mmCIF file of all heavy atoms in Angstrom:
data_model
loop_
_atom_site.group_PDB
_atom_site.id
_atom_site.type_symbol
_atom_site.label_atom_id
_atom_site.label_comp_id
_atom_site.label_asym_id
_atom_site.label_seq_id
_atom_site.Cartn_x
_atom_site.Cartn_y
_atom_site.Cartn_z
ATOM 1 N N GLU B 354 45.392 23.216 -20.603
ATOM 2 C CA GLU B 354 45.836 24.077 -21.697
ATOM 3 C C GLU B 354 46.423 23.244 -22.838
ATOM 4 O O GLU B 354 46.178 23.512 -24.006
ATOM 5 C CB GLU B 354 46.878 25.065 -21.138
ATOM 6 C CG GLU B 354 47.222 26.220 -22.031
ATOM 7 C CD GLU B 354 46.025 27.123 -22.344
ATOM 8 O OE1 GLU B 354 45.147 27.291 -21.472
ATOM 9 O OE2 GLU B 354 45.972 27.646 -23.488
ATOM 10 N N PHE B 355 47.184 22.222 -22.461
ATOM 11 C CA PHE B 355 47.790 21.358 -23.475
ATOM 12 C C PHE B 355 46.704 20.746 -24.361
ATOM 13 O O PHE B 355 46.816 20.726 -25.582
ATOM 14 C CB PHE B 355 48.621 20.252 -22.807
ATOM 15 C CG PHE B 355 49.185 19.267 -23.788
ATOM 16 C CD1 PHE B 355 50.393 19.507 -24.429
ATOM 17 C CD2 PHE B 355 48.499 18.097 -24.116
ATOM 18 C CE1 PHE B 355 50.904 18.613 -25.355
ATOM 19 C CE2 PHE B 355 49.007 17.192 -25.047
ATOM 20 C CZ PHE B 355 50.216 17.456 -25.666
ATOM 21 N N TRP B 356 45.644 20.255 -23.734
ATOM 22 C CA TRP B 356 44.590 19.595 -24.524
ATOM 23 C C TRP B 356 43.789 20.593 -25.363
ATOM 24 O O TRP B 356 43.251 20.248 -26.401
ATOM 25 C CB TRP B 356 43.654 18.793 -23.614
ATOM 26 C CG TRP B 356 44.302 17.504 -23.212
ATOM 27 C CD1 TRP B 356 44.708 17.138 -21.967
ATOM 28 C CD2 TRP B 356 44.654 16.404 -24.075
ATOM 29 N NE1 TRP B 356 45.301 15.904 -21.996
ATOM 30 C CE2 TRP B 356 45.277 15.419 -23.270
ATOM 31 C CE3 TRP B 356 44.530 16.158 -25.445
ATOM 32 C CZ2 TRP B 356 45.753 14.205 -23.780
ATOM 33 C CZ3 TRP B 356 45.002 14.952 -25.956
ATOM 34 C CH2 TRP B 356 45.606 13.996 -25.133
ATOM 35 N N LYS B 357 43.744 21.855 -24.904
ATOM 36 C CA LYS B 357 43.040 22.877 -25.698
ATOM 37 C C LYS B 357 43.808 23.144 -26.983
ATOM 38 O O LYS B 357 43.243 23.171 -28.067
ATOM 39 C CB LYS B 357 42.944 24.182 -24.879
ATOM 40 C CG LYS B 357 41.611 24.342 -24.170
ATOM 41 C CD LYS B 357 41.481 25.747 -23.627
ATOM 42 C CE LYS B 357 41.510 25.713 -22.106
ATOM 43 N NZ LYS B 357 41.708 27.020 -21.495
ATOM 44 N N GLN B 358 45.128 23.334 -26.853
ATOM 45 C CA GLN B 358 45.943 23.675 -28.032
ATOM 46 C C GLN B 358 47.308 22.991 -27.930
ATOM 47 O O GLN B 358 48.314 23.658 -27.626
ATOM 48 C CB GLN B 358 46.142 25.186 -28.101
ATOM 49 C CG GLN B 358 44.838 25.950 -28.267
ATOM 50 C CD GLN B 358 45.091 27.412 -28.569
ATOM 51 O OE1 GLN B 358 45.742 27.743 -29.546
ATOM 52 N NE2 GLN B 358 44.574 28.275 -27.718
ATOM 53 N N PRO B 359 47.351 21.700 -28.196
ATOM 54 C CA PRO B 359 48.607 20.960 -28.008
ATOM 55 C C PRO B 359 49.795 21.555 -28.763
ATOM 56 O O PRO B 359 50.904 21.598 -28.252
ATOM 57 C CB PRO B 359 48.287 19.556 -28.538
ATOM 58 C CG PRO B 359 46.808 19.446 -28.495
ATOM 59 C CD PRO B 359 46.271 20.815 -28.658
ATOM 60 N N GLU B 360 49.519 22.043 -29.987
ATOM 61 C CA GLU B 360 50.643 22.463 -30.810
ATOM 62 C C GLU B 360 51.223 23.817 -30.422
ATOM 63 O O GLU B 360 52.364 24.130 -30.733
ATOM 64 C CB GLU B 360 50.254 22.442 -32.282
ATOM 65 C CG GLU B 360 50.131 21.006 -32.764
ATOM 66 C CD GLU B 360 49.593 20.911 -34.168
ATOM 67 O OE1 GLU B 360 50.052 21.690 -35.017
ATOM 68 O OE2 GLU B 360 48.711 20.062 -34.396
ATOM 69 N N THR B 361 50.439 24.637 -29.760
ATOM 70 C CA THR B 361 50.968 25.944 -29.351
ATOM 71 C C THR B 361 51.205 25.993 -27.837
ATOM 72 O O THR B 361 51.492 27.047 -27.272
ATOM 73 C CB THR B 361 50.003 27.079 -29.750
ATOM 74 O OG1 THR B 361 48.730 26.782 -29.184
ATOM 75 C CG2 THR B 361 49.892 27.218 -31.258
ATOM 76 N N PHE B 362 51.094 24.828 -27.225
ATOM 77 C CA PHE B 362 51.227 24.772 -25.761
ATOM 78 C C PHE B 362 52.575 25.298 -25.282
ATOM 79 O O PHE B 362 52.658 25.950 -24.246
ATOM 80 C CB PHE B 362 51.023 23.330 -25.272
ATOM 81 C CG PHE B 362 51.343 23.141 -23.821
ATOM 82 C CD1 PHE B 362 50.520 23.663 -22.833
ATOM 83 C CD2 PHE B 362 52.503 22.462 -23.421
ATOM 84 C CE1 PHE B 362 50.832 23.499 -21.484
ATOM 85 C CE2 PHE B 362 52.816 22.304 -22.083
ATOM 86 C CZ PHE B 362 51.973 22.825 -21.119
ATOM 87 N N PHE B 363 53.614 25.033 -26.062
ATOM 88 C CA PHE B 363 54.969 25.362 -25.609
ATOM 89 C C PHE B 363 55.103 26.830 -25.187
ATOM 90 O O PHE B 363 55.697 27.135 -24.153
ATOM 91 C CB PHE B 363 55.993 25.007 -26.692
ATOM 92 C CG PHE B 363 57.390 25.354 -26.315
ATOM 93 C CD1 PHE B 363 58.054 24.640 -25.307
ATOM 94 C CD2 PHE B 363 58.071 26.403 -26.929
ATOM 95 C CE1 PHE B 363 59.350 24.965 -24.939
ATOM 96 C CE2 PHE B 363 59.368 26.732 -26.563
ATOM 97 C CZ PHE B 363 60.008 26.013 -25.573
ATOM 98 N N SER B 364 54.533 27.742 -25.985
ATOM 99 C CA SER B 364 54.713 29.152 -25.618
ATOM 100 C C SER B 364 53.922 29.496 -24.354
ATOM 101 O O SER B 364 54.387 30.269 -23.508
ATOM 102 C CB SER B 364 54.343 30.090 -26.772
ATOM 103 O OG SER B 364 53.072 29.770 -27.238
#
Side-chain angles (χ1 to χ4, degrees):
Chain B
E354 193 61 34
F355 176 86
W356 282 113
K357 263 191 248 166
Q358 298 190 58
E360 288 173 44
T361 55
F362 171 71
F363 178 70
S364 52

